[in-house]
Amino acid sequence: NAGVTQTPKFQVLKTGQSMTLQCAQDMNHNSMYWYRQDPGMGLRLIYYSASEGTTDKGEVPNGYNVSRLNKREFSLRLESAAPSQTSVYFCASTPWRGRGTGELFFGEGSRLTVL
Amino acid sequence: GQQLNQSPQSMFIQEGEDVSMNCTSSSIFNTWLWYKQDPGEGPVLLIALYKAGELTSNGRLTAQFGITRKDSFLNISASIPSDVGIYFCAGHQSNAGGTSYGKLTFGQGTILTVHP
């Protein structure tokens, strides 16, 4: 089973460039999330989508946009990349809508470097 | 925002030793979870705890949900080299209506190194 698949796995951008991180899950999960991981900071929520057609901001949304394209796919876009967005990005999903229990399934991560 | 204080930040141990790490919060959580992240991979759920006072085991792992609902600990017994990785605690807090969207608050992580 593929689970949660993220592309690309690695990307180097110049300041001001734009890019989209793609995420797809094949587990028929309702809710999907984008986190960033920085050394010593744990995982911080950027945006989430509780169900198809809805998105909402997390803890650190500035500089990002998201699209829940359908139930399977949730993309993260950087319109004008900045060095502060150098990080490892994780997509995650969970089957629950409503009474969620936090049991997330994570992708393998996308390592982004902004020069 | 909410913060979880996870300690220790890193541990260097010998194979066969027991390991203990914990997480504390100023806020109450309804669920505590422990995840492990192998190098180059995404976090994977190890144990989920749903009730205050609950003690749960998963093989060599044991975790407890603190009575105050503001803390949790994870123990690993008889460590082996494949235990190497980053361990994260996470808290989940439902709102008063019981609805939630899996928004977790994560600790900073404990980096575990096991020497053979």
Side-chain angles (χ1 to χ4, degrees), chain B residues 88-112:
Chain B
F88 290 102
C89 62
H92 180 260
Q93 186 180 62
S94 299
N95 63 22
T99 57
S100 155
Y101 303 101
K103 289 172 67 176
L104 301 184
T105 300
F106 281 86
Q108 303 96 322
T110 296
I111 302 172
L112 179 63

Side-chain angles (χ1 to χ4, degrees), chain B residues 77-95:
Chain B
S77 63
S79 59
I80 59 178
S82 62
D83 290 334
V84 163
I86 305 177
Y87 291 79
F88 290 102
C89 62
H92 180 260
Q93 186 180 62
S94 299
N95 63 22

Side-chain angles (χ1 to χ4, degrees), chain A residues 44-57:
Chain A
R44 294 182 292 169
L45 182 64
I46 305 170
Y47 269 93
Y48 68 99
S49 170
S51 60
E52 185 179 354
T54 69
T55 62
D56 212 337
K57 294 178 181 178

Side-chain angles (χ1 to χ4, degrees), chain A residues 42-79:
Chain A
L43 289 141
R44 294 182 292 169
L45 182 64
I46 305 170
Y47 269 93
Y48 68 99
S49 170
S51 60
E52 185 179 354
T54 69
T55 62
D56 212 337
K57 294 178 181 178
E59 185 184 349
V60 287
N62 291 345
Y64 305 95
N65 285 303
V66 290
S67 296
R68 184 74 183 267
L69 304 170
N70 47 55
K71 191 171 185 179
R72 290 186 65 248
E73 298 172 290
F74 188 38
S75 62
L76 178 72
R77 182 160 178 84
L78 287 71
E79 291 290 352

Side-chain angles (χ1 to χ4, degrees), chain A:
Chain A
N1 289 337
V4 178
T5 303
Q6 294 181 228
T7 56
K9 289 194 168 30
F10 300 94
Q11 183 73 50
V12 178
L13 292 177
K14 294 181 180 176
T15 297
Q17 287 185 319
S18 62
M19 76 157 299
T20 300
L21 299 176
Q22 308 285 355
C23 176
Q25 52 90 10
D26 61 2
M27 297 175 282
N28 200 35
H29 287 174
N30 289 310
S31 302
M32 298 183 73
Y33 310 82
W34 277 105
Y35 286 87
R36 61 178 287 173
Q37 182 179 21
D38 302 292
M41 302 286 286
L43 289 141
R44 294 182 292 169
L45 182 64
I46 305 170
Y47 269 93
Y48 68 99
S49 170
S51 60
E52 185 179 354
T54 69
T55 62
D56 212 337
K57 294 178 181 178
E59 185 184 349
V60 287
N62 291 345
Y64 305 95
N65 285 303
V66 290
S67 296
R68 184 74 183 267
L69 304 170
N70 47 55
K71 191 171 185 179
R72 290 186 65 248
E73 298 172 290
F74 188 38
S75 62
L76 178 72
R77 182 160 178 84
L78 287 71
E79 291 290 352
S80 179
S84 61
Q85 294 177 304
T86 293
S87 187
V88 181
Y89 292 84
F90 287 98
C91 179
S93 68
T94 186
W96 302 104
R97 179 179 180 223
R99 297 184 65 80
T101 56
E103 298 185 22
L104 301 182
F105 293 77
F106 285 86
E108 292 185 339
S110 298
R111 185 176 294 275
L112 175 66
T113 302
V114 183
L115 302 175

Side-chain angles (χ1 to χ4, degrees), chain B residues 20-103:
Chain B
S20 185
M21 58 191 80
N22 67 78
C23 229
T24 59
S25 170
S26 57
S27 303
I28 289 174
F29 289 101
N30 297 325
T31 305
W32 281 93
L33 306 106
W34 287 90
Y35 287 83
K36 184 196 176 196
Q37 184 179 26
D38 289 328
E41 303 286 331
V44 174
L45 181 67
L46 295 174
I47 289 180
L49 302 152
Y50 301 104
K51 279 197 231 179
E54 180 180 358
L55 185 72
T56 297
S57 293
N58 179 5
R60 293 178 296 106
L61 307 179
T62 302
Q64 184 155 30
F65 190 145
I67 287 289
T68 64
R69 294 202 279 161
K70 293 184 178 181
D71 62 327
S72 177
F73 72 74
L74 175 71
N75 287 340
I76 305 173
S77 63
S79 59
I80 59 178
S82 62
D83 290 334
V84 163
I86 305 177
Y87 291 79
F88 290 102
C89 62
H92 180 260
Q93 186 180 62
S94 299
N95 63 22
T99 57
S100 155
Y101 303 101
K103 289 172 67 176

